[in-house]
Structures are given as structure tokens and as C-alpha cells.
Amino acid sequence: MHLRPSDFHSYLRPSKCDLRVYLREKGVPEGAPGPYEEVLKRLGRRHEEEYRSTISELVDLSKVSWAERLARTQAEIKRHAIPLYQPAFEVNLRMNGSTHRVTGVPDFVLFDDEAVVVQDCKIARRVNEDDHPEILRTMELYGWLVEQTTGRPPGRLEVLNGRRELIPVDYDKGQQAKTCLQEIVSIRSLSEPPFHPVGWSSCGDCGFNDFCWQAATGKHDAASVIGVDKGLARALHDAGIDTYEQLLDAFDERTLAALQRPWGHGTQKVGNKSGSILRNARALVEGREIVMQVPVVPDRRRYVMFDLEGLPPQLDETDRVYLWGMGVYEDGKSDFRPAVSDFGPDGDEKGWDAFLEAAAKIFATQGDIPFVHWASYEKTKVQGYIDRYGDRDSIGARVLANLIDLLPVTQRSVVLPLPSYSLKVIEGHVGFQRTQTEYGGDWAMAAYIEAVETDDVGRRVELMGQILTYNKEDLDAMWAVMGWLRTRVPTA
């Protein structure tokens, strides 16, 4: 087999998955990268180019043939003189009874006296075992390739992260990288697909997400039951339980609570989650909602629907919100009042100020009106911005005091025949329809980054208009779900 650093990414990102390695080896078609993935690639290339421009007298090996690149890499390393851009390494490695071709192309090789320094550029801001093990395995493999090629270990392995910091990576003689490659070889050699449970969040960014979820839905996979995490799914599979019908037949609340499942380096009982897991399985089996209690939502004439759009840490130094979406809703009518960050260097703080001003006007006319949101993001961000920029007239604190998280209200009230309590999933269940063909948080981030980078004012206005429409429809979807919730009558 031909093994390369991209195999680590295939195996470990977005989460470790042996099934993804198997499916790619078998040539199963996967979804095309979305706009967000394309943005990450573009930003990664720019990050690399910016660092490349700081290194003088660089030998560019990126455009020559593979054979010439290998030969010139070895020749230049012997000279220990001029830094190399995209040098090539190739070594044969004996594993699992076969010899495999292992190649690697780091971004840069530099020289510190007689030592070889390997550097790679990544836009990730956290380079560690928990967040990006694939980066560590890649650098360890580069170090091993250097040692096998030159007879000497590398002087340093370094990653230029998204904060433009050079992060050192320990060299372990390539042991962890080779162990990981051995696992990949074993998976590729399988004649049947390995068992790997689906997960709504962990599988969301994978190119095989649609393929795997269609398969899971078709066979009533127990892993698709809300509350059945991957550890529990494996424990059930080991016990011969693969469907949610089998789950209901095999367990009651007491026996499922006592089941030991993998947890960290040991095991843990399912415990008090067993009741909700079995109810979720029953909803799927029966194909119906199970209303546990009347949803507890304050009875007010008007509500503010509240939804934020932000950039994650790998795309922005401050992990910032670029759109504070709000709308006052009453009897199907809405008054959309978004606050948008400026594009300048102080745009983040100006966006926060605009939000406080808009929220203050709402309180002035509506009193302590509920701010309804979905999940914890809004609460976390409002508190974070209070800590970052302060809280003029305590408006942020007033928003926090009036927040209502509709997600736990829904979870406590209604068991749904769905694989997730994501707003995007539930809005479809209640019949809400959007006007845009492309939407979602990742799409919005990609559109916003394009708006920031473009010099075309008309294009920027167009993109921001699309993002505002998406955010407004998020608010409309929450309003629709809340209206649906308030009509639920207990059935269980």
C-alpha cells in the first residue's frame, strides 16, 4: 500500500473512524466538500503562503517530478544550506507481513547548523492530542522519514499554528505514527466493513455522513437512538443488539441502567439515562411523538427570538460573533432587528455595542420580554462579551436574566422519532420550510468570510443579505417550533 500523512486525517478527522478508512479504500463515493471546507482550504493555503514569504532563499521543489524531488531533497539536505519548500521523502516500511511505500511532503525543511528542522503550516490554533492528533502523527512521521533518509533524527519538528506560533512536537522515533499506520493497513485489508456506530455530531462533517445515516436509518440502527453514544452502541453490538427494536426487547429501564459500557479507559453503567434512551427508541419504533409533559414556556404576548452567528477559534482570534440576530414576535408577526459587526479592526466591539443598543430599545418598549434561543451558544457568548467589552447600562445582564433555552424545554417535554434535537431537524418535523436552498451555520461562516475578503461592494451587500435572510429564518424556525410545542398534550 501507499501510505502518506493524509491517511492520518482520513482516519482521525473529524473524529476517529475506521469505517471511513475502509469506505475510501473501497472507493465508495462521498459528498463533495462544502463551502466551509473550501474556505478552510483557502485560508490554509494563504497561511502557508504568508509564512513562506518570510523565508529567504527558498528552494521550491513543488513543481518538479516526484523522482527529481526525491533526488534534489537528498542532495540539498546533504548541503545543509538553503531552506526547502515541499521537499519529498519516501521510505519502504515492513508491516503486517508486507512492505508498504510511505511518503511525506512537509511544507518546509530548514537547517540549524547540522540539524534538520521540519516545519508544517496548519490553521488550527490548538495542536494537541485531544484536538488534532492527526497533526501530531503527521509531524512524527515526517521526523521518522527524515531519520530514515539521512541517518540522523530531526533537530526539531514544528507546527506554525493559526496564531502564527511555532509549536514544537516531540519526536518519538515515529512510534505513534507507525502504530497508527499499522491500524490503517489492517483496516484497509478487511474483507468486510468494520462496525462503527453513527453519531449525529461526530459524523456531521464527514463526507460519508449521508451514506452512513441512510444505512443506519434503513436498518433501524440502535446507534441512531438519541442518548446512545458510541461507547454504548459498541456495548450493545457486542451483546448482539444492533436495532432499536432489539434494544426495546432486550432491556427495561432497570437492566439498561445496570449495563456496563466503555467509558474512557474503563467502563461505566448507563445509569439514569436508561429511561430517556428507551423512550427515544420507542418513539422511533412507533414512529410517533411521545409527549411527557406540557411544555413550560412563559405565557407572554410577545417574545424575542434570539440567534447568533459567529466564527470559531480556528477562523478568528477572538472567537467572535458577527451577527446578533433578534426579532420581536407576536401572533405570527415579526420585527427583525439584527446587529451586525463592522468589517473594520474594531468591528467586533462595534457589533457588541450595536447589539446592546438594539436590546435596550426592545426593553424600553417591551419591558422584561423573554429572549428565546436554542442551546447554550447564546448564553455563553453574551456572558463572554460582557467579560470582553463590559456591559453598558447592564443591558447584557438583563438579556441573560430573560433568556429561555427552548432546547431543554423540548427535551423535557417531547420524545421525538428523530435522530437529533437539532433545530434544523426539528423544524422539518414541524413543517417549517425555508426559502434558501443553501443554509446552515457552516454555509453562513463561509459566506461571511467571503464578504470580509471581497473588494466588490455589491458582492458584499449580496452576501450579507443572504446571511441576514438565513438568520431571520432561524428565528422564524424557532418561533414555529415554540408554537408547535405549546400545542402538545401529554400522551405517555
Side-chain angles (χ1 to χ4, degrees), residues 423-443:
L423 178 62
K424 300 297 189 295
V425 173
I426 296 179
E427 70 183 42
H429 177 72
V430 307
F432 180 78
Q433 294 184 338
R434 293 177 181 259
T435 63
Q436 293 177 311
T437 55
E438 282 193 289
Y439 64 89
D442 285 356
W443 167 85

Side-chain angles (χ1 to χ4, degrees), residues 214-458:
Q214 286 176 11
T217 301
K219 64 184 181 182
H220 293 189
D221 194 334
S224 64
V225 176
I226 297 173
V228 177
D229 59 26
K230 291 188 176 183
L232 178 53
R234 290 187 182 279
L236 293 172
H237 176 73
D238 291 343
I241 297 165
D242 291 308
T243 69
Y244 35 77
E245 289 89 353
Q246 292 172 338
L247 174 61
L248 287 177
D249 288 341
F251 293 98
D252 58 23
E253 191 168 338
R254 179 186 61 81
T255 55
L256 182 59
L259 179 66
Q260 295 279 356
R261 34 69 66 81
W263 187 264
H265 296 294
T267 62
Q268 185 181 80
K269 292 180 179 179
V270 174
N272 58 14
K273 295 180 180 178
S274 62
S276 63
I277 290 171
L278 292 174
R279 286 191 292 271
N280 291 329
R282 182 151 63 93
L284 286 168
V285 168
E286 297 177 1
R288 67 180 182 92
E289 301 169 8
I290 301 173
V291 182
M292 303 298 295
Q293 65 181 40
V294 175
V296 180
V297 180
D299 188 13
R300 296 289 296 271
R301 182 180 175 184
R302 299 184 184 92
Y303 301 83
V304 174
M305 297 293 115
F306 184 40
D307 181 71
L308 309 181
E309 308 296 341
L311 295 175
Q314 68 263 35
L315 296 184
D316 188 87
E317 289 289 350
T318 57
D319 186 14
R320 68 188 177 107
V321 173
Y322 61 86
L323 171 57
W324 305 78
M326 295 171 285
V328 179
Y329 284 69
E330 176 188 9
D331 296 332
K333 300 176 183 178
S334 63
D335 180 12
F336 187 41
R337 305 186 187 189
V340 183
S341 297
D342 284 353
F343 291 100
D346 57 351
D348 186 45
E349 185 172 6
K350 286 183 176 180
W352 171 244
D353 289 340
F355 163 67
L356 294 180
E357 182 178 351
K361 290 179 179 177
I362 291 173
F363 285 132
T365 58
Q366 306 296 333
D368 282 321
I369 184 172
F371 275 60
V372 180
H373 62 105
W374 194 270
S376 61
Y377 185 74
E378 282 68 26
K379 181 177 181 179
T380 301
K381 288 303 165 191
V382 171
Q383 184 60 64
Y385 271 75
I386 290 173
D387 297 339
R388 185 181 298 174
Y389 296 124
D391 187 12
R392 188 181 71 240
D393 299 325
S394 298
I395 297 299
R398 196 171 177 184
V399 169
L400 288 175
N402 284 276
L403 287 179
I404 296 175
D405 188 345
L406 206 57
L407 171 58
V409 172
T410 306
Q411 290 171 320
R412 287 191 294 266
S413 306
V414 188
V415 184
L416 296 168
L418 301 172
S420 168
Y421 275 85
S422 160
L423 178 62
K424 300 297 189 295
V425 173
I426 296 179
E427 70 183 42
H429 177 72
V430 307
F432 180 78
Q433 294 184 338
R434 293 177 181 259
T435 63
Q436 293 177 311
T437 55
E438 282 193 289
Y439 64 89
D442 285 356
W443 167 85
M445 283 190 286
Y448 180 73
I449 292 167
E450 184 181 348
V452 170
E453 295 185 341
T454 185
D455 294 325
D456 185 335
V457 176

Side-chain angles (χ1 to χ4, degrees), residues 92-100 144 182:
N92 288 329
L93 176 63
R94 186 78 177 172
M95 287 190 304
N96 296 9
S98 300
T99 300
H100 307 282
W144 179 80
Q182 191 167 22

